[in-house]
Structure formats: C-alpha cells, structure tokens
Amino acid sequence: LFPYTTLFRSLPKIRVEVLATDEQADDILDVIIASSNTGRAGDGKVWTMDVHEAVRVRTGERGVAAI
C-alpha cells in the first residue's frame, strides 16, 4: 500500500497503489469503493492494471512471493 497525497484545483487528493493477487483484487476494490463513497462529485476513480512480474529486489523473490 503506497498512499500519495497532493492538491488538485486546491482540493486534497490521495492516490493509493495496492499490489495484490488476482484472488484478492475484487475484495480490495469493494473495500476501497465502500470506504470512499460519499455519493458526491469528487469521490474519485478506481482502476486495475495487470502486473506482469513482481520482484523483491533485496531477495530476488518473484511473483506472489514478492508481494
């Protein structure tokens, strides 16, 4: 989980990056949407992207072991 906060048009915005397995992705999306939904404009957007490979640099672990 890597949060990043900035201002956009003088409004605070937060960007959160989560690296998860395919099995975890839907549950994580549901939690993010439920916890950030106020029903007002500006609630944000959520999208997913495929990660072709994850590598933990320190140990050389790859794939799910690196997550």
Side-chain angles (χ1 to χ4, degrees):
L1 179 65
F2 299 100
Y4 171 77
T5 305
T6 189
L7 290 176
F8 179 73
R9 296 183 184 162
S10 300
L11 298 172
K13 300 291 181 182
I14 187 167
R15 176 179 173 161
V16 178
E17 297 180 14
V18 179
L19 182 60
T21 64
D22 289 339
E23 293 79 18
Q24 297 169 318
D26 286 336
D27 290 338
I28 291 170
L29 283 173
D30 291 343
V31 169
I32 292 170
I33 292 166
S35 63
S36 60
N37 184 358
T38 67
R40 297 181 305 210
D43 280 350
K45 295 174 179 63
V46 179
W47 61 89
T48 64
M49 300 184 316
D50 288 335
V51 174
H52 298 285
E53 183 72 48
V55 180
R56 186 183 311 255
V57 173
R58 180 177 52 85
T59 63
E61 293 171 293
R62 293 178 174 262
V64 176
I67 299 175

